[in-house]
């Protein structure tokens, strides 16, 4: 399986377009949770203008009054074409897809299809906090299989956790974060094949959250879980949300492997009424016509990863930051600073910069923060300056 690497697109870097004053006019969670003197680099919203094809699709729909209920398979067709073009995967069958309101609500629906109340759902902490919140809210039990010290799946621990999860013959699911949030780890084909073999051995159903799949560092290969040997029994959730900053335009796709098509067919019809029709149009346009914009973004994120490493090395060398292979998030190990389990609190109170606390990410999150890289270099520089100032460094 081959992929087309992202290349210079000729479009301007969207991370360099918007000023801080203009960003502060936004009314979304990122810009309204904290007072104006706080620089927000926490929640996964990007500081970018939308790709022109997305803007055109949405404004055309509004001009037509095309704001009814979603219909058709254009979203799935656009995703299938994108997957083949970008990841070299031609196995995404449109007839094994279903639109869902967003990735996490899709995750809930998939887990409900393959487990029952009281069953266990395995996760790899530190991991996206809603994994814990949604699983517990749906009356399932979280079983932690922590990542290894290298930030990768520990297959030995995963097998032990699978074995315990199915004790007594109960069903279990594995909620796989791929690429992984917050570490930015991209699981390899060998790792995912080993996961599939373990899942088959113990009868664990894999549900893969692949929302960050379009957001890859240069020369990194994303492998869809459903594409690996043994992955046919899995279920995946995909979206253009993270790649094109469309969280407010709700729409995602549930994708089934050949062995799980019957499970997806049991999805209640009313779930498909939840996505926004305008959201479906926006996501379709992004996947079909927004790849030049995406490539410009990816180049800007590569620059920001290097810039962050340089800034931390200069001002806060005690912080360990393993370069992420994907996502627009950086996972910072701040334990050597001696700020306790929640360094984000110190950076907020003393530096007026908001980062995501590592504690809600579960085991391995204490002493860490997550920083959103999807901003301008100037804002990133100011954020690190404030973090250093919080420790009395100038």
């Amino acid at each position: 399986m081959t992929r087309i690497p992202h290349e210079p697109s000729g479009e301007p870097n969207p991370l360099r377009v918007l000023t801080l004053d203009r960003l502060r006019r936004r009314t979304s969670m990122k810009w309204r949770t904290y007072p104006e003197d706080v620089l927000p680099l926490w929640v996964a919203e990007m500081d970018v203008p939308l790709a022109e094809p997305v803007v055109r699709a949405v404004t055309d729909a509004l001009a037509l009054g095309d704001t009814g209920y979603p219909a058709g398979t254009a979203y799935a067709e656009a995703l299938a074409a994108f997957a083949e073009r970008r990841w070299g995967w031609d196995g995404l069958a449109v007839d094994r897809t279903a639109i869902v309101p967003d990735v996490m609500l899709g995750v809930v629906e998939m887990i409900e299809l393959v487990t029952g109340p009281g069953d266990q759902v395995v996760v790899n902490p530190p991991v996206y906090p809603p994994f814990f919140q949604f699983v517990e809210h749906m009356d399932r039990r979280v079983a932690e299989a922590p990542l290894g010290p290298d930030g990768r799946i520990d297959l030995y621990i995963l097998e032990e956790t699978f074995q315990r999860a199915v004790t007594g013959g109960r069903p279990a699911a594995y909620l796989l974060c791929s690429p992984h949030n917050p570490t930015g780890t991209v699981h390899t084909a060998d790792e995912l094949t080993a996961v599939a073999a373990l899942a088959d051995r113990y009868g664990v159903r894999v549900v893969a959250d692949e929302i960050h799949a379009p957001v890859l560092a240069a020369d990194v290969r994303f492998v869809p879980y459903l594409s690996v040997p043994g992955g046919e029994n899995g279920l995946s959730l995909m979206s253009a949300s993270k790649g094109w900053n469309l969280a407010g335009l709700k729409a995602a796709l549930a994708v089934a492997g050949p062995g799980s098509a019957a499970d997806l067919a049991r999805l209640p019809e009313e779930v498909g009424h939840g996505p926004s029709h305008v959201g479906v149009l926006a996501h379709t346009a992004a996947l079909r016509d927004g790849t030049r914009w995406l490539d410009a973004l990816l180049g800007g994120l590569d620059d920001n990863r290097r810039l962050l490493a340089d800034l931390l090395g200069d001002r806060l060398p005690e912080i360990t930051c393993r370069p992420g292979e994907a996502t627009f998030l950086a996972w910072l190990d701040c334990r050597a600073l001696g700020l306790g389990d929640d360094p984000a609190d110190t950076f907020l109170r003393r530096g007026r910069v908001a980062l995501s606390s590592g504690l809600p990410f579960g085991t391995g999150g204490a002493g860490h923060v997550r920083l959103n890289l999807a901003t301008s270099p100037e804002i990133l520089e100011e954020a690190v300056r404030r973090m250093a100032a919080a420790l009395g460094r100038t």
Side-chain angles (χ1 to χ4, degrees), residues 33 51 54 77 93 115 175 195 205 220 243 286 319 321 324 339-340 351 359 382:
T33 298
V54 173
E77 291 165 11
T115 66
L175 181 47
V195 164
R205 300 301 301 277
V220 173
I319 292 180
C321 177
L339 300 178
L359 292 175
E382 174 63 11

Side-chain angles (χ1 to χ4, degrees), residues 282-294:
H283 288 241
T284 302
L287 290 163
R288 186 182 58 215
D289 302 317
T291 53
R292 285 171 56 85
W293 182 95
L294 176 65

Side-chain angles (χ1 to χ4, degrees), residues 13 72 83 170 210 216 241 244 262 308 344 379:
N13 175 1
R170 297 196 67 153
E210 297 182 315
L216 302 175
S241 174
W244 286 267
L308 179 63
I379 290 176

Side-chain angles (χ1 to χ4, degrees), residues 138-173:
M138 59 194 295
D139 196 23
R140 270 64 169 175
R141 294 180 295 152
V142 173
E144 292 193 2
L147 297 176
D150 57 357
R152 308 201 74 85
I153 295 171
D154 185 322
L155 294 170
Y156 178 78
I157 295 295
L158 187 66
E159 181 171 14
E160 285 189 331
T161 310
F162 279 4
Q163 195 168 20
R164 289 194 300 269
V166 298
T167 298
R170 297 196 67 153

